[in-house]
Amino acid sequence: MSDEVVITVAGVGAEVTRAQQPHLPLLPDEVGEEYRRAFDAGATIGHIHGRRPDGTPAQDLSTFRAYSEAIRARCPILQQFSTGGAVGMGVEERIAALELKPDMATLTLGTCNFGDDVFENSLPTVRAILERIQKFGITPELEIFDDGMLATADALIARKLLAPPLHFDFVLGVPGAAAATAENLTHFARSIPPGCTWTVAGIGRRQTAVATMAIAMGGHVRVGFEDNIYYRKGELADSNARFVERVVRIAREVGREPASVETARRLLSLPAAA
Ligand code: KMH
Ligand code: ZN
């Protein structure tokens, strides 16, 4: 187990609204400040979705450029662009910003229910997104919402479309996909190829529970408004940094420190900084 834990902040998301979470950052300067605070608290990866000023999801180049520059001007957090976007978006819209060559980009390995919606990731969609990620030399983070997506990872590796060591994100607790349980986390963590790394994103009220399990198991952790807006039952979090601070405290209690950017690059097999 590494002594360091890589903490990802998913501070914007595509579905949460300002009406639900008044501290949700939307404008580039708000996003930049929010990610700077999360970085100062111990986060080393910023998972990024785009929004228009009115809050509607937007994956376009200019929104991502503005967010990316606002974040980079304030802190060296690794930037991970979402290619999931929001449910219902077309593939080209989801990958339009990848030409900015972020450090990482997500790649969901299958379709699943997403509450009342369907998060569409047919195999042609997966291949199209992967192709664009590889065209720009970006490191993928493989998003696993369900067991079948692990089988797709194996199939892509067998066809040499992906090569370990790879980094996975187990997204647990989406209504309609795998539940946020210790059994699922253990099963997922055991199922990936040797030498790969993983993080967990617990959705809703199970966020801290699965983050704590991951820290004890040697995995890494994602927190933030995209996945959970409450600090505890009935109490909205007042910033993404508050979630980061909490997992840093938990990690330190079991002898792990938040990873620096350089350490995260090494642990997750990212290229050295240019
Ligand atoms: N907004 C979700 C439907 C990702 O970022 O790659 C998908 C999502 C996954 O958030
Ligand atoms: Zn996302």
Side-chain angles (χ1 to χ4, degrees), residues 38-226:
F39 175 79
D40 288 347
T44 24
I45 299 177
H47 172 73
I48 303 171
H49 284 257
R51 302 285 192 115
R52 297 190 184 88
D54 68 0
T56 52
Q59 291 280 119
D60 61 284
L61 190 60
S62 67
T63 299
F64 271 75
R65 182 179 282 124
Y67 277 21
S68 179
E69 287 176 357
I71 296 168
R72 196 175 309 118
R74 290 168 171 86
C75 69
I77 196 167
L78 295 168
Q79 297 192 12
Q80 178 193 84
F81 286 8
S82 167
T83 68
V87 285
M89 278 182 176
V91 179
E92 278 306 319
E93 188 177 4
R94 287 165 55 175
I95 58 183
L98 293 185
E99 66 178 77
L100 296 175
K101 300 186 183 169
D103 300 291
M104 303 181 81
T106 58
L107 175 65
T108 298
L109 293 185
T111 298
C112 63
N113 284 334
F114 197 89
D116 288 345
D117 297 309
V118 175
F119 182 28
E120 195 280 321
N121 295 286
S122 65
L123 286 176
T125 295
V126 171
R127 285 194 294 265
I129 296 173
L130 177 57
E131 201 173 294
R132 193 69 63 89
I133 287 173
Q134 291 175 336
K135 174 180 171 187
F136 291 115
I138 303 164
T139 302
E141 178 181 84
L142 306 177
E143 309 289 306
I144 305 295
F145 289 64
D146 238 333
D147 199 45
M149 299 189 195
L150 291 165
T152 298
D154 288 341
L156 293 171
I157 292 166
R159 284 189 211 158
K160 306 213 179 310
L161 292 173
L162 284 173
L166 295 157
H167 180 61
F168 290 79
D169 177 28
F170 305 140
V171 184
L172 300 181
V174 168
T181 63
E183 290 78 7
N184 282 338
L185 182 57
T186 308
H187 166 57
F188 284 18
R190 278 190 188 140
S191 301
I192 59 175
C196 293
T197 50
W198 59 272
T199 192
V200 71
I203 306 302
R205 64 194 173 85
R206 296 283 293 159
Q207 180 169 84
T208 309
V210 293
T212 304
M213 291 177 213
I215 289 166
M217 291 165 68
H220 304 283
V221 172
R222 175 174 119 174
V223 291
F225 290 157
E226 175 169 344

